[in-house]
Amino acid sequence: MSSAPEQSRKPSGDWSQLLFNKVVIVTGAGGAIGAAISHCCVLHGARVAIADINKKAADAVVTKIITDDQTQKDNVMGIELDVTDEQAIQKAVKTIVDKWNRVDVLVNNAAIFTLRSIEDASAEAWSEIFNVNVRGYALMAKAVVPLMKKQRSGSIIQMASISSWIAQPNFVPYSTTKGAVLQMTRNLALDLGSFNIRCNSICPGTILTQATTTHAANLQQTMDEFTAAEVKKQCLKRLGSPEEIANLTVFLASDLCHFATGASFVADGGYTTI
């Protein structure tokens, strides 16, 4: 039987810091959602490794966090990380453990957005998107699970999508990988539950990010046109924000959520309800 979560790691009298002293790795942290997750985790007391294949983007997030609060300078670190490179992952995890001694939370957020029909998706495009969106998640989990098993605690949070659940025009490669993320999450939850390690996924809907802006441009729509079309599909008539995904991530990472595992949490403004 797995042990109860470590009560000693809770902040005394301050429940605003839900991740007090937890060590969090966020991949793809140079993008809008990854940056928001990193910042929110820090605000809740975590020490955060901000990992991205683009080191300048990761460092920019670090700089923003420290600029907002100088006391956080020892609680963040920027790491250049290609999640398709297993040796680079092992090196990055060692760097994090050498600095902070443990890993409590992995947020698998790195992704690429290959939106194509089946005829238009090349073999190379399929290999690239699977390497990042599926294999990369698996390799990151492989690297941190031994540490979490020794600790007998941990939370792995995987960024899936509403595209995991519904069909969308010319989304075949992306949707296929995000469907795979859901199944990986379920299997990890089963295999790791006896070690008190939880694994859940988040399925965002349409979130206002650079990827959304790029998608609108590819559709030859202005953002106003794109937004008007999207909100018709939702109960809440607006786009989501990266901060709203970040708040859900913090909850799943925290000790307020230690009986949820193998689950998929949809944050889509009701898109998949209609």
Side-chain angles (χ1 to χ4, degrees):
M1 182 178 295
S2 61
S3 60
E6 297 177 62
Q7 302 299 315
S8 63
R9 297 185 67 78
K10 294 179 182 177
S12 177
D14 185 2
W15 284 99
S16 66
Q17 291 201 318
L18 296 175
L19 305 183
F20 181 69
N21 277 347
K22 290 185 183 290
V23 175
V24 179
I25 302 173
V26 183
T27 68
I33 292 177
I37 291 170
S38 299
H39 204 161
C40 196
C41 287
V42 169
L43 290 175
H44 281 281
R47 292 167 286 183
V48 183
I50 297 165
D52 199 280
I53 194 170
N54 183 338
K55 183 61 160 56
K56 288 184 178 179
D59 288 343
V61 177
V62 171
T63 298
K64 175 66 166 61
I65 291 171
I66 295 173
T67 299
D68 288 350
D69 184 353
Q70 286 290 326
T71 66
Q72 301 291 358
K73 64 182 180 180
D74 294 327
N75 294 327
V76 289
M77 62 188 298
I79 295 180
E80 181 177 0
L81 179 60
D82 178 354
V83 298
T84 70
D85 183 339
E86 188 169 16
Q87 287 188 336
I89 291 171
Q90 296 289 347
K91 181 179 178 181
V93 171
K94 183 179 185 303
T95 298
I96 294 161
V97 173
D98 286 347
K99 183 176 178 64
W100 289 322
N101 300 315
R102 58 189 293 127
V103 174
D104 298 288
V105 180
L106 167 64
V107 182
N108 267 328
N109 173 70
I112 58 175
F113 299 86
T114 303
L115 308 180
R116 300 280 190 278
S117 68
I118 193 65
E119 297 98 331
D120 293 335
S122 67
E124 292 76 14
W126 277 104
S127 295
E128 182 183 32
I129 196 168
F130 262 94
N131 273 339
V132 175
N133 294 11
V134 181
R135 181 173 171 270
Y137 282 25
L139 292 177
M140 287 299 305
K142 179 182 177 181
V144 302
V145 160
L147 299 166
M148 291 179 174
K149 281 185 173 181
K150 289 180 182 178
Q151 297 162 189
R152 296 198 66 81
S153 66
S155 177
I156 299 171
I157 301 163
Q158 313 223 94
M159 206 57 63
S161 171
I162 59 169
S163 302
S164 307
W165 297 99
I166 62 173
Q168 295 161 286
N170 299 318
F171 262 59
V172 176
Y174 181 74
S175 294
T176 300
T177 62
K178 290 305 181 180
V181 169
L182 289 193
Q183 193 57 45
M184 186 194 306
T185 298
R186 297 183 188 107
N187 279 273
L188 289 176
L190 177 62
D191 290 347
L192 302 176
S194 61
F195 298 93
N196 199 33
I197 301 168
R198 298 179 294 109
C199 187
N200 294 290
S201 62
I202 296 175
C203 300
T206 309
I207 308 299
L208 185 55
T209 66
Q210 183 57 51
T212 307
T213 303
T214 300
H215 181 46
N218 289 338
L219 294 174
Q220 298 183 330
Q221 294 177 344
T222 67
M223 274 306 296
D224 286 344
E225 291 169 336
F226 177 80
T227 300
E230 285 296 294
V231 300
K232 288 179 181 178
K233 306 170 186 176
Q234 301 173 184
C235 300
L236 301 177
K237 302 303 182 183
R238 62 176 178 83
L239 303 187
S241 71
E243 290 74 21
E244 288 170 309
I245 303 304
N247 289 336
L248 179 54
T249 304
V250 166
F251 172 67
L252 292 176
S254 78
D255 290 341
L256 293 181
C257 193
H258 27 76
F259 200 54
T261 194
S264 304
F265 292 80
V266 178
D268 67 353
Y271 193 118
T272 52
T273 298
I274 298 176

